[in-house]
Every structure is written in C-alpha cells, then in structure tokens.
Amino acid sequence: MQAISRAAALRNARTVLSHCVKQNRFDTLILDKLSVDEIERPGVVKCTMAVERNHLNLTGTLHGGVSATLVDIVGSLAIAAAGLESTGVSTDIQVSYLAAPKLGEQLVIRGFADKVGKTLAFTRVEIATLRDGHDQETLAVRGSHTKFVRGIQRMANEK
Amino acid sequence: MQAISRAAALRNARTVLSHCVKQNRFDTLILDKLSVDEIERPGVVKCTMAVERNHLNLTGTLHGGVSATLVDIVGSLAIAAAGLESTGVSTDIQVSYLAAPKLGEQLVIRGFADKVGKTLAFTRVEIATLRDGHDQETLAVRGSHTKFVRGIQRMANEK
Amino acid sequence: MQAISRAAALRNARTVLSHCVKQNRFDTLILDKLSVDEIERPGVVKCTMAVERNHLNLTGTLHGGVSATLVDIVGSLAIAAAGLESTGVSTDIQVSYLAAPKLGEQLVIRGFADKVGKTLAFTRVEIATLRDGHDQETLAVRGSHTKFVRGIQRMANEK
Amino acid sequence: MQAISRAAALRNARTVLSHCVKQNRFDTLILDKLSVDEIERPGVVKCTMAVERNHLNLTGTLHGGVSATLVDIVGSLAIAAAGLESTGVSTDIQVSYLAAPKLGEQLVIRGFADKVGKTLAFTRVEIATLRDGHDQETLAVRGSHTKFVRGIQRMANEK
C-alpha cells in the first residue's frame, strides 16, 4: 500500500468510480454525486455525498440498501486507492446501522484497505454525518467488505 | 408467527412492499418489479424478480448493493409476513456472495423470519437463480438481517 | 458435493473433528463432547452436544464465544463432509444470537456447505435447542462462515 | 461516553472482566491472562494478551473461536469502559480474519464503543500482533459486536 503516491492513488480511485458510474445503471442512479475527495493516508480514501431523495427509505431516512451499496463501493475504492487496477469480486459484506442520516445531510464516507493480499482484500467503511457548518462527524453506519482480488494487476509505481 | 393465516400474511407483506415502492425513490428504482408470490410456510415469504439493467454492476452481473438491498427488503417482508404492521429499523445486515446472477436471469428470493421478538427480529434471506424452463434453484447470495421492532403492533388474527 | 457417499462424508467429518480435538488445546477444552451424528443430505452435517459448565458465560448461558466456535468448527465439518481432506482457513464469520441455551440443554448443530468452490467455501451453521423428551428444535444461534480452501485435495470417490 | 473519567472507565472494565474470569469456566480457560491496560480515549479500551497453547487451532495459529471470543469480550469491555454497569446480551457478531497470530505472539486488542444507546450498543474490536521489541502493530483480526443493553444502569459521574 506504500508503493504508489497519494496523487496516483486518488486518480486510480476516481477512475474506478467513473467507470462504475458511466457504464452501468445501478451505480449511476445512486452514486452519480459521490465524490472521491482525498487519500487521507495510504489505504484510506475519503468520499462525500449528500443524502438525496433517491437514497431514502419509507421513513425518509437513508435506505439500508444505499448504506450497504456505499460499503460495497467505497470499500472497492479503498482497494483502488491501494493501487489495484480493478477491485475484484465481493465475498462478504457486513453492515451495522447506528443512526439514520436524513435528507440533505452531508455524508463523509471513508474506505480503509486494511489488507490487500494476493487473493483476498479486507476493507472497512465508515459513514458519518457532518453537522451543518461544523467539522464534527457522527458515525452513522459502519461495515466490513471482503473481496476476491486474485490476478488483478497492481499499478506500477510512478517515477 | 402462527397467529395469522397465510392469506393475511401474504396480503400484509404485499402491502408493506407497495408502500415502499410507492412512497420513495430508491425502492421504486430498484424493486418495482419485485413480486411477493407466496407464503411457503409460516414466516417464510417467497419473492421473484428478474435481473434488469438497473441491477447490474460494472462487470454486468447483479450489483452487490442490489443483493444487499434484497436482503434488507425481503427480510423486512418476512417480518410483515409474520404479522407485524410495520417492519422496524435495521441494526445489522450481513451478505455472502456465492455466485453472480446475470442479466435476464430469474431470481427466487426467500425471506425467513427466524424469530420475531418484542424488541428484535432476526431474519435470513436467500437469493437463488432459476434455470430457464427448470425448477432447479442455485443459491447465489445469502444474508442475515436483524431489525429493531419494539412497539410495532401485530395484526389481529382474523375471524 | 455429490462425489462421495454419505458414509464417506461422515467418516471424513469425524476424522477432521478428531484431529482438532486431539492435537490442540482449545478444541479439546470446548469440543471434546461434540458428536458428528449424521450426514442428513449431501453437504449437511448434523452434530449434537450438551451445554456444560465449560461453555457458560457470566449469566449462566451458552457463551457467545462458544457459539462462534461452533459456527467455526461445524462449518468446517460441513466442508469435510463435502469431501475436502482439510477445511482451509477462515476469512469471515458472522453470528446472530436469537436465544441463550442453558446449562444441560441439548444442542443440535447443523453445518451446511452451501458452496465449496476452488478458492472459497461458503458454509452456514444453525444451533438449536432440543426440548427434553421431544423432537422439537428451537433455533438459538445461526451463523455464516466463509473459508479459503484453495489447493485442498478432494477425496476420491470410492468404488 | 464522556460522563465518566478514564480512571473510572478503566476500573469498571477491569471489574467486568474479573467477574467473567472468576465466575465461569469458559472465560477462565481462555481469558485469564487478558489484561485491560488503558482507556486510550473515551470509549476505546486497550487490552493485551499473549497467544498461548490453549488458544491454538489444528494448524498452530490463533483459533478462530478465540478471536471471536475476544471480539465478544473486548467489545463488552468497551461498553463497560463507556460506563455501563453490565454489558448486556449479544445480538450480532462479525469477524474478519486477515492474518493468523502464532504461539507466543503478543496481541494488542482494542475495543471501540462506537455507540452506546438506550437499547443497543455498537462496538468494534481490532486484534493486532506486535513485533518483538517494536511498537509496530499489524492488524490480524477485526470484528463488529452489537449488544442489547436496555435497562442497564450507567455509572454515576464521580465527584
């Protein structure tokens, strides 16, 4: 995870996300406003997204399926940020729901590439809400996402 | 879970799903073709859905976020089928991905209300693909969905 | 999973368990009374065990760590019952606690080998309590156990 | 989680652990050497333990059941460290296995009380190995542990 620069990691994560959002329907419907903002440290990608109407459940809060989708996608972006050219296939996802973000709230979503091995990658995702005009984050959802990554090429380190 | 008839359980599950699909955007985008077909036995609801373009990921198979959403929703329908008038709030969801259903494949999705207590309900969901023209199902995804159901009314048993 | 007979599957599962219980301390302390009773159908192994003092938590019921250990071991036995000569390395385990078995209660523990692929095996485990003198089982714990099984040999089918 | 001092949180976590290890067999067998070292910040408890023979599986590494037990116990200690007088009943536990600690290795186990609500507490646990003579930790196991804590008293803030 130290092989590539943060700038390269950020570019790679953004490329993977743009492929998702361009080439298929589900990610486009849900994640077209997801922004990959920063590589906070090696293997940790920070994203942001506002809760929109498309993301709501029956009770007007963030749909559990959208949270799970964010655990899926942002875990994958952490793998991309670790330098893999694609992000593999999910084997297991787990999500815990601590609080329910509301329409309009700003989400900070962090993906952590805890381990990127030859066969499996273990990622973790935290979704927090941000108070208006404040920096304080409140954890709302967290998850674990294990992926099968065998045979995927790692980016060469840049000169 | 034996308090209500299968017919009442089926009606209740269909009512809950129709509320989801009518009143908000995410379920409408993803689940408008989900069909609640049958109460196979008390606490077990059988649904079907075909894999559409809207459900695909980058590689052209069922998106992990859609599978997780089905674990969310069909677990909730199992609670509705057990006679609760609404289905509570998710606390934990877990999903294992055994195989990747493809565009056009027919999915059989079963929700099992393993326990519906006063405070928590424990559900389980299995997503299988159905071979064309055959009855044979192949398990593709399975999940666990725990919900907080405190204070939700149970349907009266019908006369 | 249909390659070997039920008798061979049962023998293989028992061999794997006896290796665990003989060669190391943790399994010996916890699982020396675990009995592999039957292959109920291909890929489904039925075990039984009584709740003993060694298995209890502070409140006098089955310790969550013992339940998780049973999900670990009996999931592995299901892989053995599917014909693998050893059972690989865990990648993810999930456990839901529906009820708390008490001292002296008889447990029925079933392991299901939902899929045994070349690289990953997906198993599921259910722990139920048995009413004294009755056949009725009540589900107490269920779990999911994913294992890495690459390179493990499959038993030859017997003549 | 800010209501009690770190010293009180540490005392409370140690009291809960000593109850576990004194009053029942399973924790005594497995956890008698577990040490609650420090409250690193509010809601975060740091423990240490060496891998002993009792903790090993068939292949001579940390048993998956022991790891799951540590997720169970240290998640509970985080709740105690947040000021609850007892730590409730598990509803869901999830564990991911990134690496396999070996006999004699020193484990650093951190429990995080991500949220302690009126009914549910959400905790997370990380198990890392420590290189001999170094401070560098390598993450080996991580887990999530949700508990039902309704009706448990919170410690009064000390004067």
Side-chain angles (χ1 to χ4, degrees):
Chain A
M1 271 177 274
Q2 290 124 327
I4 60 166
S5 70
R6 290 198 192 186
L10 185 60
R11 273 198 307 276
N12 198 39
R14 284 178 172 161
T15 301
V16 164
L17 179 61
S18 73
H19 287 172
C20 289
V21 172
K22 269 180 209 152
Q23 293 186 13
N24 74 83
R25 300 294 303 274
F26 183 65
D27 289 324
T28 309
L29 288 169
I30 305 309
L31 302 177
D32 63 318
K33 302 282 177 53
L34 182 68
S35 163
V36 186
D37 289 357
E38 190 185 346
I39 307 300
E40 291 192 322
R41 53 179 200 270
V44 182
V45 60
K46 180 186 174 188
C47 302
T48 50
M49 189 179 89
V51 180
E52 302 179 354
R53 293 219 158 272
N54 271 4
H55 303 141
L56 299 182
N57 62 20
L58 190 60
T59 64
T61 60
L62 186 64
H63 196 294
V66 175
S67 296
T69 300
L70 287 169
V71 170
D72 181 344
I73 294 297
V74 179
S76 298
L77 296 179
I79 294 173
L84 265 59
E85 297 200 341
S86 65
T87 69
V89 175
S90 299
T91 69
D92 279 279
I93 284 181
Q94 181 270 344
V95 189
S96 294
Y97 297 88
L98 287 66
K102 295 185 187 64
L103 180 64
E105 282 194 299
Q106 189 68 15
L107 304 178
V108 177
I109 309 131
R110 280 188 186 78
F112 303 80
D114 282 333
K115 180 179 177 181
V116 180
K118 278 184 189 164
T119 304
L120 293 172
F122 294 87
T123 75
R124 190 165 58 80
V125 173
E126 292 182 352
I127 306 175
T129 49
L130 204 61
R131 304 268 152 171
D132 256 345
H134 293 79
D135 282 345
Q136 204 196 332
E137 300 177 8
T138 304
L139 187 62
V141 177
R142 64 168 157 62
S144 166
H145 182 190
T146 306
K147 298 196 81 170
F148 180 76
V149 295
R150 196 172 186 87
I152 296 175
Q153 266 198 299
R154 283 169 193 264
M155 295 169 64
N157 199 351
E158 51 216 7
K159 315 293 148 57
Chain B
M1 268 177 278
Q2 290 124 327
I4 60 167
S5 70
R6 290 197 191 186
L10 185 60
R11 273 198 307 275
N12 197 40
R14 284 179 172 159
T15 301
V16 164
L17 179 62
S18 74
H19 286 172
C20 288
V21 172
K22 269 180 210 152
Q23 293 186 12
N24 74 83
R25 300 292 303 274
F26 184 64
D27 290 324
T28 309
L29 288 168
I30 305 309
L31 302 177
D32 63 317
K33 302 283 176 54
L34 182 69
S35 163
V36 186
D37 289 356
E38 190 185 345
I39 306 300
E40 291 192 322
R41 52 178 201 269
V44 182
V45 59
K46 179 186 174 189
C47 303
T48 50
M49 188 178 90
V51 180
E52 301 179 353
R53 292 221 158 271
N54 271 4
H55 303 140
L56 298 182
N57 63 19
L58 191 60
T59 63
T61 60
L62 187 65
H63 196 295
V66 175
S67 296
T69 300
L70 287 169
V71 170
D72 181 344
I73 294 297
V74 179
S76 298
L77 296 179
I79 294 173
L84 266 60
E85 297 200 341
S86 64
T87 69
V89 175
S90 298
T91 68
D92 279 279
I93 283 182
Q94 182 270 343
V95 189
S96 294
Y97 297 89
L98 287 66
K102 295 184 188 64
L103 181 63
E105 282 195 299
Q106 189 68 14
L107 304 178
V108 177
I109 309 130
R110 280 187 186 79
F112 303 80
D114 282 332
K115 180 180 177 181
V116 180
K118 278 185 189 165
T119 304
L120 292 171
F122 294 87
T123 74
R124 190 164 59 79
V125 173
E126 292 182 352
I127 306 175
T129 50
L130 204 61
R131 302 270 152 171
D132 257 346
H134 293 79
D135 283 345
Q136 204 197 330
E137 300 177 8
T138 304
L139 187 62
V141 178
R142 63 169 158 62
S144 166
H145 182 190
T146 306
K147 297 197 82 170
F148 180 75
V149 295
R150 196 172 185 87
I152 296 176
Q153 266 197 297
R154 283 169 192 264
M155 295 169 63
N157 199 351
E158 51 216 8
K159 315 291 148 60
Chain C
M1 271 179 274
Q2 291 124 326
I4 61 167
S5 70
R6 290 197 191 186
L10 185 60
R11 273 198 307 277
N12 197 40
R14 285 178 173 162
T15 302
V16 164
L17 179 61
S18 73
H19 286 172
C20 289
V21 171
K22 269 180 211 153
Q23 295 186 9
N24 75 81
R25 300 292 303 274
F26 183 65
D27 290 325
T28 308
L29 289 168
I30 305 311
L31 301 177
D32 63 318
K33 302 282 176 53
L34 182 68
S35 163
V36 185
D37 289 356
E38 188 186 348
I39 307 299
E40 292 193 323
R41 53 178 201 269
V44 183
V45 60
K46 179 188 174 187
C47 303
T48 50
M49 189 179 90
V51 181
E52 301 179 356
R53 291 221 158 272
N54 271 4
H55 303 140
L56 298 183
N57 61 20
L58 190 60
T59 63
T61 58
L62 187 65
H63 196 295
V66 175
S67 297
T69 300
L70 288 169
V71 170
D72 181 343
I73 295 297
V74 180
S76 297
L77 296 178
I79 294 173
L84 265 59
E85 296 199 344
S86 65
T87 70
V89 175
S90 299
T91 68
D92 280 278
I93 283 182
Q94 181 271 344
V95 190
S96 294
Y97 297 89
L98 287 65
K102 295 183 187 65
L103 181 63
E105 282 194 300
Q106 190 68 16
L107 304 178
V108 177
I109 309 129
R110 280 187 185 80
F112 303 81
D114 282 334
K115 180 180 177 180
V116 180
K118 279 184 189 164
T119 303
L120 293 170
F122 294 87
T123 75
R124 190 163 59 80
V125 173
E126 292 182 351
I127 306 175
T129 50
L130 204 60
R131 305 268 153 171
D132 257 345
H134 292 79
D135 282 346
Q136 205 196 330
E137 301 176 7
T138 304
L139 187 62
V141 178
R142 61 170 158 63
S144 166
H145 182 189
T146 305
K147 298 197 81 169
F148 180 75
V149 295
R150 196 170 187 89
I152 297 176
Q153 266 197 298
R154 284 168 193 264
M155 296 169 63
N157 200 349
E158 50 217 7
K159 315 291 150 55
Chain D
M1 272 179 275
Q2 290 124 327
I4 61 167
S5 71
R6 289 198 192 186
L10 185 60
R11 273 198 308 275
N12 197 40
R14 284 178 172 160
T15 301
V16 164
L17 179 61
S18 73
H19 286 173
C20 288
V21 171
K22 270 180 212 153
Q23 293 185 11
N24 74 84
R25 301 291 304 274
F26 183 66
D27 290 325
T28 309
L29 289 169
I30 304 311
L31 301 177
D32 64 318
K33 301 284 176 53
L34 182 69
S35 163
V36 185
D37 290 356
E38 188 186 348
I39 307 299
E40 292 193 321
R41 53 177 201 271
V44 182
V45 60
K46 179 187 175 187
C47 302
T48 50
M49 188 178 91
V51 180
E52 301 179 354
R53 291 219 159 273
N54 271 4
H55 303 139
L56 299 182
N57 61 20
L58 189 61
T59 64
T61 59
L62 187 65
H63 196 295
V66 176
S67 296
T69 300
L70 287 168
V71 170
D72 181 343
I73 295 297
V74 180
S76 297
L77 296 178
I79 294 173
L84 264 61
E85 296 200 341
S86 64
T87 69
V89 175
S90 299
T91 68
D92 279 278
I93 284 183
Q94 180 270 346
V95 189
S96 294
Y97 298 89
L98 286 66
K102 295 185 187 63
L103 181 63
E105 282 195 300
Q106 190 68 15
L107 305 178
V108 177
I109 309 129
R110 280 186 185 80
F112 303 81
D114 282 334
K115 180 179 177 180
V116 180
K118 279 184 190 166
T119 303
L120 293 171
F122 295 87
T123 75
R124 189 165 59 80
V125 173
E126 291 182 352
I127 305 175
T129 50
L130 204 61
R131 304 269 152 171
D132 257 346
H134 293 79
D135 283 346
Q136 205 196 331
E137 301 176 8
T138 304
L139 187 62
V141 177
R142 61 168 159 63
S144 165
H145 182 189
T146 305
K147 296 196 83 170
F148 180 76
V149 295
R150 196 172 185 88
I152 297 176
Q153 265 198 299
R154 284 169 192 264
M155 296 168 62
N157 200 350
E158 52 215 6
K159 317 289 150 57

